[in-house]
Amino acid sequence: MNNATNPVRVRFAPSPTGHLHIGGLRTTLFNWLFAKHNNGKFLLRIEDTDRERSTQAYTDSIIASLEWLGLIPDEPIMIQSSRIDEHIQLAQALIEQGKAYRCICTQEEVLDRYTSHGGNPEQVKYDGKCRNQNKETDKPYVIRFAIPEDIDSIVFNDLIRGTVTIARDQLDDFIIVRSDGTPMYNFVVVADDAYMRISHIIRGEEHIINTPKQILLYQACNYAIPTFAHIPLVLGPSGQKLSKREAATSVIEYKKAGFLPEALINYLVRLGWSHGDQEKFTREELITYFDLSQVSSSGAIFDIEKLLWLNSVYMREKTDEQLYDLLHTEYGHILDNKNMAIPLIGLYKERTRALKELYDVIVNTIQGPAEYHDIYLQPLRTQQMVALLKQLVNKLEHLSVWNADSITNTIKIFAKEMHQKIADIMNPLRVALIGQHSGPGAGTLAALLGKEETVRRLTRLYDTIERM
Ligand code: GLU
């Protein structure tokens, strides 16, 4: 695909009106992989021409998310608003060439004329009234693109959807510059993609309706028309476009929840693209195998359970030290005690599926239960249990060697002496230590926490029961 005359250059072009979202990330990924696979360039353009809704904070957030994921642009980031003078000059040139015109019709006039002829007010089309009166004017005006008379349809080949045909009558002379002098999306996107020598436009399918307008603009400006690939939407479980109601949509939320970048990338790339049955890919494998022809043309449903599974697989591949560094950087100081945190990571990493979950169980173990849950506490509310726990404390206090084996053995012998099942001692001990029944072996936990802390937590449990 790449050769000296037509190198692959692709771009991701987010509007900084929100954080990077999951759909945008998948679009970025497909662009990035396509560029890398073809020895091309991946570029980033911030489309900030909607001055009211764009913010620097969102620009920074999008860039930070991409950095976190290692999807780094190959050239300096392009800020669309920095080229506004060029955009306006281009619009003027189109007017001079008779390919665009000033239109003084107000929105109300356009609407009235359209609906008075029975047109649907939801899909208003301009009737071309100002097309032939293209003079300088003192009145406020927009600049409209004059769709050439001699075309019946616009046809293009989409790398994912095949041939797409749009009839001429679906389009009207659309606005390229608003009355306040700001250029519109369809116009600037063409001006900038041409300026950046973009060879392939890979973007979400919601833009497919814009493509015919953009193709007409490319032709009017005598620019080479890039190749288009419109990728299907990421859908929520309901089959509708993924929405905040159904799942977190911002990439930063996934970072906060403790998803690893490699897991998120691996999951998202598989959403709509496949390479046989392979589920897990290294970045190098993705670059080698990625091909737009394997991207499905139907929407893909976002499945958080599968993402969690993949994340847990990647978590398990990390060493305890690596996970410690990740947890410490993301969530902070409570894990300062590395000697305690590292073994706990080892104990819990296979039981959790995201870093935040891992962090929470570790903090819970280090701090002990803030309060006991009724479902665990109520069954322990007997005099016999209080007596049992007191005796257990006594046994443990006299233990000279404090490690998982010695503690577990002591508990086993103690259970036998007291004619109890081992679980009937281990479970209350786990409730004392971490506030629940499930979790790592109670002997292992007690060994890590130390004798003093174990005794303190057991004492607190029976004190609580006695006071109920
Ligand atoms: N700025 C547009 C958006 O955020 C993208 C335009 C494009 O990719 O052509 O949806």
Side-chain angles (χ1 to χ4, degrees):
M1 185 132 342
N2 61 319
N3 56 45
T5 51
N6 186 21
V8 165
R9 290 173 65 83
V10 296
R11 75 344 183 237
F12 175 52
S15 307
T17 54
H19 298 291
L20 178 64
H21 59 81
I22 286 292
L25 170 55
R26 196 180 53 145
T27 302
T28 314
L29 251 178
F30 284 8
N31 273 285
W32 187 86
L33 288 171
F34 185 77
K36 300 295 148 186
H37 179 86
N38 291 293
N39 291 318
K41 297 259 193 263
F42 165 73
L43 310 180
L44 178 64
R45 181 172 71 235
I46 300 293
E47 301 215 314
D48 60 342
T49 40
D50 181 345
R51 302 306 292 168
E52 265 164 36
R53 292 174 56 231
S54 301
T55 70
Q56 187 58 41
Y58 285 134
T59 298
D60 295 344
S61 158
I62 291 169
I63 294 171
S65 289
L66 293 178
E67 268 171 16
W68 173 62
L69 292 150
L71 303 172
I72 310 295
D74 296 311
E75 290 179 8
I77 298 169
M78 147 94 173
I79 306 291
Q80 189 158 60
S81 58
S82 70
R83 281 190 14 96
I84 192 122
D85 292 348
E86 283 85 346
H87 300 145
I88 299 301
Q89 274 165 25
L90 182 63
Q92 294 300 340
L94 289 178
I95 294 181
E96 279 155 28
Q97 294 162 26
K99 293 173 178 169
Y101 58 91
R102 298 179 189 86
C103 166
I104 55 168
C105 300
T106 63
Q107 255 179 15
E108 294 71 44
E109 287 165 356
V110 174
L111 177 69
D112 282 354
R113 290 205 299 273
Y114 190 67
T115 48
S116 68
H117 288 94
N120 174 359
E122 302 283 303
Q123 291 166 351
V124 179
K125 289 206 186 71
Y126 183 61
D127 58 6
K129 185 160 185 271
C130 291
R131 207 174 157 128
N132 301 314
Q133 319 165 11
N134 190 18
K135 297 185 289 278
E136 295 273 356
T137 170
D138 293 339
K139 295 196 180 144
Y141 64 87
V142 296
I143 302 177
R144 287 184 185 271
F145 178 69
I147 297 201
E149 304 280 3
D150 55 349
I151 52 164
D152 304 328
S153 60
I154 297 114
V155 182
F156 67 96
N157 180 44
D158 187 286
L159 289 186
I160 292 166
R161 319 175 129 243
T163 305
V164 180
T165 307
I166 293 94
R168 159 80 167 85
D169 61 12
Q170 290 189 28
L171 303 175
D172 64 353
D173 285 354
F174 55 92
I175 299 174
I176 57 174
V177 180
R178 299 180 187 89
S179 57
D180 65 3
T182 55
M184 299 274 289
Y185 159 72
N186 276 311
F187 178 56
V188 281
V189 84
V190 169
D192 290 349
D193 282 334
Y195 174 73
M196 293 165 78
R197 291 174 286 119
I198 298 302
S199 63
H200 294 74
I201 294 188
I202 305 167
R203 61 185 173 194
E205 70 176 9
E206 66 274 23
H207 286 294
I208 206 155
I209 50 159
N210 295 317
T211 306
K213 296 179 187 172
Q214 294 173 14
I215 288 177
L216 292 172
L217 283 164
Y218 278 103
Q219 288 167 339
C221 300
N222 294 319
Y223 294 151
I225 300 175
T227 304
F228 291 92
H230 288 94
I231 55 184
L233 293 176
V234 177
L235 306 175
S238 66
Q240 301 294 315
K241 184 175 173 185
L242 185 69
S243 71
K244 284 193 184 135
R245 264 181 300 109
E246 291 186 307
T249 51
S250 295
V251 170
I252 47 168
E253 292 176 69
Y254 288 86
K255 178 170 186 277
K256 281 189 199 142
F259 287 88
L260 296 167
E262 47 274 50
L264 196 54
I265 285 183
N266 192 150
Y267 176 69
L268 282 180
V269 86
R270 281 286 287 107
L271 208 54
W273 173 81
S274 58
H275 180 74
D277 293 337
Q278 192 170 337
E279 289 286 1
K280 192 164 169 287
F281 296 85
T282 63
R283 211 171 263 226
E284 290 66 36
E285 283 175 321
L286 288 177
I287 293 172
T288 308
Y289 301 147
F290 186 77
D291 182 356
L292 283 173
S293 67
Q294 300 299 319
V295 174
S296 145
S297 59
S298 49
I301 295 186
F302 184 80
D303 177 356
I304 187 70
E305 285 301 314
K306 192 159 173 201
L307 172 58
L308 280 163
W309 166 75
L310 207 49
N311 202 53
S312 71
V313 172
Y314 279 96
M315 271 171 70
R316 259 171 248 169
E317 285 176 3
K318 301 257 181 233
T319 64
D320 298 350
E321 283 272 347
Q322 287 170 326
L323 287 171
Y324 175 80
D325 290 342
L326 287 167
L327 293 178
H328 199 259
T329 316
E330 188 70 30
Y331 310 111
H333 69 278
I334 192 91
L335 298 185
D336 280 348
N337 182 350
K338 205 169 171 178
N339 292 340
M340 175 79 104
I342 298 249
L344 285 175
I345 290 173
L347 271 187
Y348 282 113
K349 80 174 172 195
E350 305 221 350
R351 295 167 184 271
T352 50
R353 298 186 294 172
L355 295 178
K356 180 68 168 69
E357 202 189 330
L358 177 60
Y359 173 79
D360 286 344
V361 289
I362 290 175
V363 169
N364 178 58
T365 305
I366 291 175
Q367 295 184 330
E371 52 192 28
Y372 306 105
H373 206 293
D374 255 2
I375 53 164
Y376 298 121
L377 201 53
Q378 289 304 339
L380 305 179
R381 282 186 69 181
T382 61
Q383 281 313 313
Q384 193 206 3
M385 179 52 70
V386 171
L388 205 65
L389 290 174
K390 285 183 176 172
Q391 277 170 284
L392 177 62
V393 165
N394 192 276
K395 285 269 178 220
L396 294 176
E397 271 179 331
H398 287 93
L399 203 60
S400 51
V401 179
W402 189 261
N403 62 33
D405 283 347
S406 63
I407 299 165
T408 310
N409 279 337
T410 305
I411 292 171
K412 281 184 186 160
I413 296 165
F414 176 67
K416 211 167 187 176
E417 278 170 20
M418 306 307 289
H419 307 290
Q420 300 287 328
K421 284 188 254 150
I422 294 172
D424 291 339
I425 313 286
M426 291 293 188
N427 281 341
L429 176 56
R430 259 204 220 91
V431 171
L433 298 179
I434 56 171
Q436 58 189 37
H437 285 173
S438 63
T444 311
L445 284 170
L448 267 173
L449 290 167
K451 188 192 276 186
E452 205 180 312
E453 184 62 15
T454 302
V455 166
R456 197 186 65 77
R457 290 188 193 184
L458 275 167
T459 310
R460 183 180 157 222
L461 177 62
Y462 67 66
D463 275 353
T464 308
I465 299 172
E466 275 187 320
R467 272 189 272 106
M468 281 171 83

